Amino acid sequence: MDRVLLIDDDVELTTLLKEYLVEEGFDVSTAEDGRAAVGLAISNAVDIVVLDVMMPKMNGIEVLQRIRRSSEVPVLMLTAKGDDADRIAGLNLGADDYVPKPCSPGELAARLRAILRRAAKVAPNAASEVVRAGSLTMRPAGRTVEWRGEPLELTGTEFCLLEVLARDAGRLVSKQEISRRAFGRPLTAFDRRIDVHISSVRQKLGARDDGQPWIQSVRGQGYQLLQDR
């Protein structure tokens, strides 16, 4: 049973979502205060966090920052409809996805399952599979990454995106193909998730000797992971 932590000061909404998710087979705990929720989120007592941006005392962006200092637990942000600034800020800080409020309980459950599937994805019959692209080594079964001989910390979503590019290193991969292979769904218009997560992965990989990023973009087409040897 997947363990979900709902962090939202809207008690009525939280109660509704909790009741629905429990009926869908999730084990749900709740928190109304961001400060109190951080400890729960990083305690390894939950499998995924649903985090509202607008909360008193400590807003969702601050909560996410504190979680990411010590945990890679998947985080789904609840954002105000049309508020691109909060969405982009959350993705840049390591959120795995977002859902605009008000959202239907059914959509939330579907998004949670999709994120959890990505976080647990293992290649069939490949418990010891290793994906290599130059100095990049990825082990899908254990969700571990080494870059130039050193461990590289990635969120679950970042891992999925980089794995797609690593499997086709040196080839331009369209954003539509990336979305289907990494997220299991087609890319929708004005969806910037891939761009924001790729930007984060670029920062973690650092720059090439010529100052260019390891992940190259072709405007309007897609992304390509370069190899160093």
Side-chain angles (χ1 to χ4, degrees), residues 38 42 58 61-70:
V38 172
I42 66 177
M58 183 185 296
I61 299 299
E62 293 176 279
V63 173
L64 179 59
Q65 285 179 308
R66 295 200 178 194
I67 290 174
R68 282 291 173 257
R69 288 173 189 167
S70 56

Side-chain angles (χ1 to χ4, degrees), residues 93-123:
L93 289 170
D96 292 86
D97 205 346
Y98 64 82
V99 173
K101 295 174 70 174
C103 65
S104 71
E107 179 184 7
L108 179 62
R111 291 290 186 93
L112 290 174
R113 289 194 177 99
I115 295 171
L116 289 165
R117 281 197 301 271
R118 295 200 299 268
K121 186 175 67 174
V122 177

Side-chain angles (χ1 to χ4, degrees), residues 10-206:
D10 186 335
V11 178
E12 184 176 350
L13 176 62
T14 300
T15 300
L16 171 67
L17 294 177
K18 178 176 180 178
E19 290 176 352
Y20 184 89
L21 293 175
V22 168
E23 286 292 324
E24 289 292 303
F26 293 95
D27 178 8
V28 183
S29 55
T30 62
E32 301 174 21
D33 182 293
R35 290 176 181 170
V38 172
L40 291 173
I42 66 177
S43 67
N44 295 322
V46 297
D47 300 305
I48 192 165
V49 174
V50 179
L51 175 60
D52 184 34
V53 171
M54 299 300 294
M55 292 189 298
K57 297 183 181 179
M58 183 185 296
N59 66 38
I61 299 299
E62 293 176 279
V63 173
L64 179 59
Q65 285 179 308
R66 295 200 178 194
I67 290 174
R68 282 291 173 257
R69 288 173 189 167
S70 56
S71 173
E72 294 300 326
V73 63
V75 176
L76 174 69
M77 301 288 290
L78 297 178
T79 65
K81 194 168 186 177
D83 195 337
D84 289 337
D86 281 339
R87 297 176 186 177
I88 293 172
L91 292 172
N92 277 328
L93 289 170
D96 292 86
D97 205 346
Y98 64 82
V99 173
K101 295 174 70 174
C103 65
S104 71
E107 179 184 7
L108 179 62
R111 291 290 186 93
L112 290 174
R113 289 194 177 99
I115 295 171
L116 289 165
R117 281 197 301 271
R118 295 200 299 268
K121 186 175 67 174
V122 177
N125 303 316
S128 59
E129 180 188 19
V130 178
V131 178
R132 290 191 174 90
S135 295
L136 177 70
T137 301
M138 306 185 73
R139 294 178 173 82
R143 310 290 286 179
T144 60
V145 186
E146 289 183 8
W147 173 238
R148 295 184 164 180
E150 297 293 332
L152 184 67
E153 295 295 329
L154 298 175
T155 67
T157 298
E158 290 169 355
F159 186 98
C160 291
L161 289 173
L162 185 56
E163 182 185 356
V164 170
L165 296 178
R167 289 182 181 277
D168 285 290
R171 182 178 79 84
L172 180 67
V173 185
S174 71
K175 291 172 67 175
Q176 192 64 250
E177 182 178 352
I178 292 172
S179 184
R180 286 197 301 268
R181 290 168 58 185
F183 302 146
R185 63 175 183 264
L187 187 71
T188 57
F190 310 112
D191 190 335
R192 296 191 58 194
R193 289 180 182 86
I194 291 176
D195 302 311
V196 176
H197 286 301
I198 290 291
S199 176
S200 177
V201 176
R202 276 175 167 165
Q203 293 179 21
K204 293 179 179 182
L205 293 176

